Amino acid sequence: MRSQKPRPAFLMCRPTFYGVEYEINPWMDVRRQPDHPRAIRQWQMLRNMLQAIGMHVELVRARPSLPDMGFTANAGLLHGDIFIPSRFRYKERAGEEVFFTSWFFRRGYRIRPLPAGHHFEGEGDALFVGEKLFLGYFHRTDIRTHILIGEILEVPIFSLELVNPYFYHLDTAFMPFGPESAIYYPKAFDSYTLRILRQNIPDLIPVNAEEAHYFACNTVFVGPKGKQARHAVLSAPARRLGKILEGRGIETHPIETSEFIKAGGSSKCLVLNLGYTY
Ligand code: ARG
């Protein structure tokens, strides 16, 4: 059992073996490979930036033949001292599960696996707004996992259907930045889901189509739990969103993630919250 007090930290994984080696989302094209040295530089910039704004970064070791392991948001979901490991939809990523789970196990977290065959892709599809847990489903995560996750963590859950294949994980189209606030891309959701969002989150900021396609929703927000974020590490082309956030007193830190967008991810996909969630 962990006794350590949670501190503002993220889990990251150096993209040592990163590449587009298969196609499991519409952004991935094996003929359009990332520039590897550039990807490493972009990842390092993100890590430096997060440390500069006061975050501690823990690392899990990259493994060969698991090119997407850098996207640690998909490791699982941590809440308090409970870690729910992911069960990846595609066999291409399933090999990551054991390495992520053992990282948490070795550090004394309580591991609560979902039943076999219940697909769940971690924080990529599970984001807290205050104490409410918003969960995405359809492309990766199965809706039947939502109720189990709510029971394990003893939190209220809200299921959001993702209807656009380009926005296949919840964190590509939705990101909380305070106890009652989130940015979102409306076209990633159907009208019923939009109603759930609008009824339960008082402060919702829409992102436009162009910026959403630069992964503007995949912003890393940093700030004291329970309050509005103080910092936003966001996709450099998302200038409009940057201005809106600055207008709300949030300091913005634009960052290039072009090489990761080729695999369908950006800044937030590259980090997993360790005891510091909205
Ligand atoms: N290529 C990876 C996949 O398709 C990208 C994962 C992006 N992660 C995220 N949290 N959205 O699984």
Side-chain angles (χ1 to χ4, degrees):
M1 180 77 174
R2 280 175 72 82
S3 54
Q4 236 175 290
K5 213 171 135 240
R7 59 177 169 170
F10 284 128
L11 179 66
M12 296 182 74
C13 174
R14 188 182 296 281
T16 314
F17 305 103
Y18 175 57
V20 175
E21 289 175 19
Y22 43 77
E23 297 170 3
I24 58 171
N25 70 54
W27 302 89
M28 299 177 92
D29 178 345
V30 291
R31 293 161 307 180
R32 236 167 50 89
Q33 282 303 319
D35 175 329
H36 196 264
R38 197 155 170 226
I40 297 281
R41 283 200 300 276
Q42 291 181 345
W43 180 87
Q44 193 61 54
M45 286 281 285
L46 173 65
R47 181 183 173 191
N48 293 346
M49 183 79 82
L50 293 171
Q51 288 172 330
I53 58 179
M55 294 298 292
H56 178 75
V57 174
E58 301 244 20
L59 294 178
V60 51
R61 184 148 60 91
R63 306 286 168 152
S65 310
L66 295 173
D68 274 335
M69 209 173 153
F71 296 111
T72 55
N74 300 125
L77 177 65
L78 183 68
H79 186 63
D81 66 345
I82 299 179
F83 180 67
I84 304 179
S86 284
R87 287 200 181 273
F88 285 94
R89 161 91 44 196
Y90 295 107
K91 64 173 183 336
E92 286 84 347
R93 292 199 67 185
E96 299 173 30
E97 290 168 13
V98 59
F99 299 114
F100 285 133
T101 305
S102 69
W103 191 93
F104 285 90
F105 180 74
R106 279 188 274 114
R107 281 157 187 81
Y109 290 97
R110 285 196 283 157
I111 312 294
R112 296 292 306 269
L114 294 167
H118 283 56
H119 298 124
F120 170 59
E121 298 207 354
E123 204 171 83
D125 269 329
L127 294 160
F128 279 96
V129 183
E131 283 306 303
K132 299 175 183 167
L133 181 58
F134 289 79
L135 293 152
Y137 71 94
F138 187 64
H139 302 287
R140 298 298 183 89
T141 292
D142 297 330
I143 192 169
R144 63 184 176 155
T145 63
H146 294 183
I147 195 133
L148 298 176
I149 292 166
E151 281 168 10
I152 295 170
L153 301 180
E154 296 177 16
V155 294
I157 54 148
F158 297 84
S159 295
L160 308 176
E161 182 173 348
L162 296 162
V163 297
N164 181 331
Y166 282 90
F167 299 89
Y168 59 95
H169 276 139
L170 182 61
D171 70 357
T172 62
F174 172 78
M175 194 57 63
F177 66 95
E180 299 204 312
S181 314
I183 54 172
Y184 76 126
Y185 176 48
K187 292 215 171 85
F189 304 101
D190 66 3
S191 57
Y192 177 70
T193 304
L194 287 174
R195 235 172 45 224
I196 299 177
L197 284 172
R198 288 171 185 152
Q199 281 172 359
N200 289 285
I201 305 176
D203 180 25
L204 268 181
I205 300 179
V207 166
N208 70 23
E210 192 195 340
E211 297 196 353
H213 284 82
Y214 280 112
F215 281 76
C217 295
N218 205 241
T219 294
V220 182
F221 287 105
V222 168
K225 196 176 152 104
K227 299 224 172 76
Q228 183 185 273
R230 288 213 187 108
H231 298 275
V233 178
L234 86 170
S235 184
R239 293 200 190 82
R240 179 183 161 273
L241 175 65
K243 287 216 175 71
I244 295 173
L245 296 174
E246 276 162 20
R248 315 236 336 197
I250 299 174
E251 200 177 316
T252 59
H253 309 275
I255 193 157
E256 282 297 340
T257 55
S258 58
E259 302 318 294
F260 295 102
I261 290 179
K262 292 175 183 166
S266 185
S267 311
K268 177 59 195 73
C269 305
L270 295 167
V271 307
L272 179 80
N273 270 304
L274 293 175
Y276 195 67
T277 50
Y278 277 105

